[in-house]
Amino acid sequence: MKVRKKHISEREERYIYSAPFSLGSMAAVKKFNYGGQAVIEGVMIRGRSSVVTAVRRPGGEVAVDVKPLESIYTGWIRRTPLIRGVVILIEAMVLGIKSLIYSSNIALEEEKEEISTKALWGMLASAAVLAVVLFFIAPLFLTKLVNTYLTNSLLFMVVEGVIRLAIFIAYLKVMSLLPDIKRVFAYHGAEHKAVNAYEAGVPMEVNAIKSYSTAHVRCGTSFLFLVLIIAIILFAFVGRHALWLMVLSRVVLIPVIMALGYEVIYFGAKHRGNWFVKIILAPGLLLQSLTTGEPDDSQMEVAIAAMNKAVEVDRAEEAARATS
């Protein structure tokens, strides 16, 4: 397959692909849990030391962008239990926004615009505030409306948790109905197929990955569902107090809930064959039907390009270390 090198800089390496390619033997690379997300007309894959974003151009070619990860995303702090959950959440948000900006520029054939650090953190802060208000504060206030009918603290927390889950599912359902979002969700399905197929050791080819599931145990959708379940349990220990104190607890305990949620997902991914683990993970996997779609061949080609490049970069770095 013909590959034309488009541009190279110290921070970026971009290629144009006219067809999908296969690096089937790359499954031999030292084990690493690859993952990523869907972007506009593309897929982002997070590798061991780099993040790769593949995007379909309007003309049909696939542009692949490679950027090295900063040390905070690859050091000891990312491997430390409980702490790593918060770090990985921030990482996913930062890398996700950067990849979305890149993909929108490529998909619309606009000039690449670097986002400033201040603007990036502004976006992250806005997204975080919206999430806290929608999924943690709003359910509390809605539950307070029926407070007189809730005879004890445990019942209050359960009702609040059910409302929180209902808001979350309704939000995902509404998003899944939007045409542009549905296409992004199809790329999400393509990303999962590529990751599932890679972990199964099959060649990175469209026909080979097509039969694999659009759901994955390490998906962010499953993670968020577990976070909401853990919140019910944790807030039950907090109990029912003055409104201001309950609002404060919903905000302060979010990092703790996120950390616990990641450890459950991490454990579940390592023991996915256990029947009890399957029961715990089943609701999250089922919920992914709202955030993933069945991709077409062209979308799977993009996911394959991102996965292949991420593995290629890791393999090259391992080879360089082995010879140094």
Side-chain angles (χ1 to χ4, degrees), residues 2-313:
K2 183 179 179 181
V3 180
R4 176 165 56 89
K5 192 171 289 188
K6 183 78 172 178
H7 174 72
I8 296 179
S9 67
E10 184 179 351
R11 294 284 297 171
E12 176 182 25
E13 187 180 45
R14 186 179 305 165
Y15 290 87
I16 303 299
Y17 293 88
S18 57
F21 60 98
S22 174
L23 297 171
S25 63
M26 285 193 176
V29 172
K30 185 178 178 182
K31 182 173 174 57
F32 177 77
N33 290 327
Y34 289 91
Q37 70 172 58
V39 294
I40 299 171
E41 291 300 323
V43 168
M44 178 268 278
I45 294 291
R46 196 270 193 203
R48 190 185 302 275
S49 58
S50 63
V51 58
V52 178
T53 307
V55 183
R56 177 79 67 182
R57 288 184 181 275
E61 297 174 319
V62 178
V64 179
D65 176 65
V66 181
K67 281 189 172 61
L69 289 167
E70 296 178 15
S71 58
I72 190 174
Y73 301 139
T74 59
W76 65 268
I77 193 170
R78 195 183 187 276
R79 299 187 296 272
T80 305
L82 296 179
I83 298 176
R84 60 189 173 190
V86 178
V87 174
I88 289 172
L89 176 65
I90 296 173
E91 170 193 306
M93 294 177 68
V94 172
L95 299 181
I97 289 179
K98 287 183 176 179
S99 293
L100 280 169
I101 292 172
Y102 169 79
S103 67
S104 65
N105 288 333
I106 294 299
L108 298 175
E109 292 193 322
E110 296 178 349
E111 291 297 321
K112 181 178 178 181
E113 297 179 7
E114 290 289 344
I115 182 172
S116 67
T117 301
K118 184 177 180 180
L120 176 62
W121 284 106
M123 291 180 185
L124 290 174
S126 299
V129 170
L130 177 61
V132 169
V133 171
L134 185 60
F135 300 122
F136 287 91
I137 305 302
L140 174 61
F141 277 87
L142 290 174
T143 308
K144 289 290 289 184
L145 295 177
V146 293
N147 186 48
T148 55
Y149 301 100
L150 305 177
T151 56
N152 59 65
S153 177
L154 180 60
L155 182 59
F156 183 96
M157 301 307 165
V158 170
V159 171
E160 181 192 357
V162 170
I163 292 175
R164 186 176 295 112
L165 284 170
I167 292 175
F168 178 62
I169 294 172
Y171 174 81
L172 294 182
K173 183 61 179 178
V174 170
M175 291 295 101
S176 69
L177 297 176
L178 302 176
D180 290 342
I181 300 299
K182 286 180 69 174
R183 185 157 181 83
V184 172
F185 284 174
Y187 274 106
H188 190 194
E191 178 242 322
H192 282 181
K193 281 180 179 286
V195 173
N196 282 323
Y198 172 80
E199 291 177 346
V202 305
M204 287 288 98
E205 300 169 355
V206 170
N207 289 334
I209 77 169
K210 189 175 295 186
S211 62
Y212 283 84
S213 175
T214 58
H216 195 281
V217 293
R218 296 195 305 273
C219 176
T221 305
S222 292
F223 168 71
L224 291 175
F225 177 80
L226 282 173
V227 161
L228 299 184
I229 296 299
I230 292 171
I232 297 175
I233 300 171
L234 197 59
F235 293 152
F237 284 101
V238 173
R240 185 161 47 174
H241 302 283
L243 182 59
W244 71 269
L245 188 58
M246 294 175 71
V247 170
L248 181 63
S249 69
R250 273 35 174 192
V251 176
V252 172
L253 289 176
I254 287 177
V256 177
I257 296 170
M258 294 293 181
L260 292 173
Y262 179 79
E263 295 306 320
V264 174
I265 282 287
Y266 183 83
F267 179 85
K270 293 184 67 175
H271 301 85
R272 65 183 76 180
N274 182 279
W275 66 270
F276 183 68
V277 170
K278 287 182 178 179
I279 293 174
I280 294 175
L281 298 179
L285 291 171
L286 182 62
L287 200 59
Q288 289 179 44
S289 62
L290 293 177
T291 61
T292 62
E294 191 63 35
D296 58 31
D297 288 2
S298 67
Q299 291 169 323
M300 285 185 280
E301 288 174 1
V302 174
I304 288 170
M307 175 61 76
N308 276 345
K309 190 60 185 177
V311 178
E312 180 188 340
V313 170

